[in-house]
Amino acid sequence: MQFVEGICKKLVGKLRLGAQAISLIKGMEVKTEGPCMISKLITDILGINCCVLMGANIASEIAVEKFSEATIGYKKDKEVAIRWAKLFTMPYFLVSIVEDIEGVELCGTLKNVVAIAAGLVDGLDMGNNTKAAIMRIGLREMCAFSKLLFPSVRDNTFFESCGVADLITTCLGGRNRRVAEAFARNGGKRSFDELEAEMLHGQKLQGVSTAKEVYEVLTYRGWQELFPLLSTVHEICIGQLPPTSIVEYRIH
Ligand SMILES: NC(=O)c1ccc[n+]([C@@H]2O[C@H](COP(=O)([O-])OP(=O)(O)OC[C@H]3O[C@@H](n4cnc5c(N)ncnc54)[C@H](O)[C@@H]3O)[C@@H](O)[C@H]2O)c1
Ligand SMILES: O=P(O)(O)OC[C@H](O)CO
């Protein structure tokens, strides 16, 4: 998503009047003035309304039309969100709308960091209870972090497809989980970059870069202690901590 800004700048002045945007990109940009969600980046650069669509949507499963759900987040214009939902809805793909664009987009962005943690737990052969614990702590931190950044974020958003459902599917079957498992199985001795290149054949992980971006925000705002899982994932990814640190928490 780091290239979205450049692509948007190329589109300036080339869009038809009344054009609308919707972002399916899970990630955020961290600028000196703070984190900037991709939808805001698109709105700011192109001067158009931008919704987001996030959900438990592993692409290979949707491609073969297995039933799934998604959530559209919008800011003010409900009519536009309804139109997007009609456009995306299929008998096997149900789309709901939520007036909480930041909450929906942050769910999609932050769950990738939790999926890295879940993959580490798999690679350490720690079992289902541990993985469930990591997902719970992760969801709690996702919610708290989102609300600190944007007080308007709603709790209910975390019960939509973009929230708990996407967290579950990504922690069970996503690429972030798979590469993190390999990282832990190799004792952290092979880097995420190396494993990503070997395992994903040109596709890119979002979780590692998002963990770094989140860490920059946490460090800048002095919030690290409030978010032990989100912080630890980044420190493991850069080799500062061993993969086993993913389960070293105080109760909170
Ligand atoms: N694959 C999934 O199951 C899935 C599901 C839901 C959401 N997403 C989200 O969709 C987004 C894309 O994921 P994906 O799986 O399609 O990734 P991908 O790696 O398959 O595709 C990314 C595309 O971006 C292009 N690209 C990379 N750098 C570029 C640059 N500098 N300029 C222009 N184009 C560039 C690549 O060539 C590639 O075509 C991510 O944010 C991901 O989290 C993916
Ligand atoms: O394969 P991942 O880990 O990028 O996750 C895929 C999607 O985001 C699931 O909705």
Side-chain angles (χ1 to χ4, degrees):
M1 69 275 166
Q2 292 82 349
F3 54 86
V4 174
E5 189 166 350
I7 289 180
C8 285
K9 282 182 180 160
K10 284 187 196 158
L11 291 173
V12 172
K14 298 193 170 73
L15 298 183
R16 215 164 53 185
L17 202 67
Q20 295 281 337
I22 186 159
S23 169
L24 280 64
I25 300 170
K26 293 169 173 174
M28 62 183 179
E29 292 263 334
V30 176
K31 299 171 170 290
T32 38
E33 61 272 22
C36 178
M37 303 315 294
I38 302 294
S39 60
K40 182 163 187 312
L41 201 68
I42 292 170
T43 292
D44 287 353
I45 299 174
L46 294 172
I48 59 175
N49 179 49
C50 182
C51 292
V52 296
L53 183 147
M54 307 277 145
N57 296 152
I58 289 181
S60 55
E61 296 175 19
I62 297 173
V64 292
E65 303 186 1
K66 289 183 176 169
F67 174 76
S68 64
E69 298 178 303
T71 315
I72 286 177
Y74 68 97
K75 213 171 185 68
K76 284 190 191 111
D77 200 336
K78 191 172 179 180
E79 291 309 310
V80 172
I82 291 171
R83 238 184 294 151
W84 280 124
K86 279 190 186 150
L87 193 66
F88 279 99
T89 297
M90 299 290 282
Y92 59 87
F93 192 71
L94 297 194
V95 184
S96 60
I97 62 165
V98 173
E99 191 178 0
D100 180 7
I101 189 163
E102 286 91 4
V104 173
E105 196 165 359
L106 276 162
C107 277
T109 299
L110 297 173
K111 61 88 192 172
N112 286 329
V113 182
V114 184
I116 297 278
L120 295 172
V121 162
D122 285 344
L124 295 167
D125 289 320
M126 303 209 68
N128 293 328
N129 292 343
T130 308
K131 193 159 165 183
I134 288 297
M135 287 162 72
R136 185 200 73 82
I137 297 167
L139 184 61
R140 190 179 173 280
E141 290 193 16
M142 282 168 58
C143 185
F145 182 71
S146 303
K147 289 172 98 160
L148 273 178
L149 283 185
F150 299 99
S152 62
V153 166
R154 298 173 179 177
D155 284 336
N156 279 349
T157 301
F158 294 83
F159 295 98
E160 297 288 340
S161 178
C162 64
V164 66
D166 197 9
L167 179 71
I168 292 170
T169 203
T170 311
C171 289
L172 297 183
R175 297 163 293 187
N176 286 287
R177 187 218 67 81
R178 192 152 54 89
V179 177
E181 178 182 3
F183 180 84
R185 290 209 184 282
N186 283 283
K189 292 192 175 63
R190 297 186 66 199
S191 70
F192 270 96
D193 280 349
E194 193 185 345
L195 292 166
E196 176 188 72
E198 185 178 295
M199 297 173 72
L200 298 187
H201 313 292
Q203 289 192 317
K204 295 283 175 201
L205 286 181
Q206 304 275 273
V208 174
S209 52
T210 302
K212 179 172 180 286
E213 284 150 1
V214 168
Y215 196 84
E216 281 171 29
V217 176
L218 297 180
T219 310
Y220 184 71
R221 305 212 177 184
W223 292 345
Q224 268 186 45
E225 286 200 4
L226 297 175
F227 299 96
L229 185 139
L230 296 176
S231 303
T232 302
V233 168
H234 174 64
E235 288 168 354
I236 293 172
C237 288
I238 60 169
Q240 203 171 301
L241 290 175
T244 47
S245 300
I246 200 59
V247 287
E248 287 159 14
Y249 298 104
R250 280 170 295 160
I251 291 170
H252 69 291

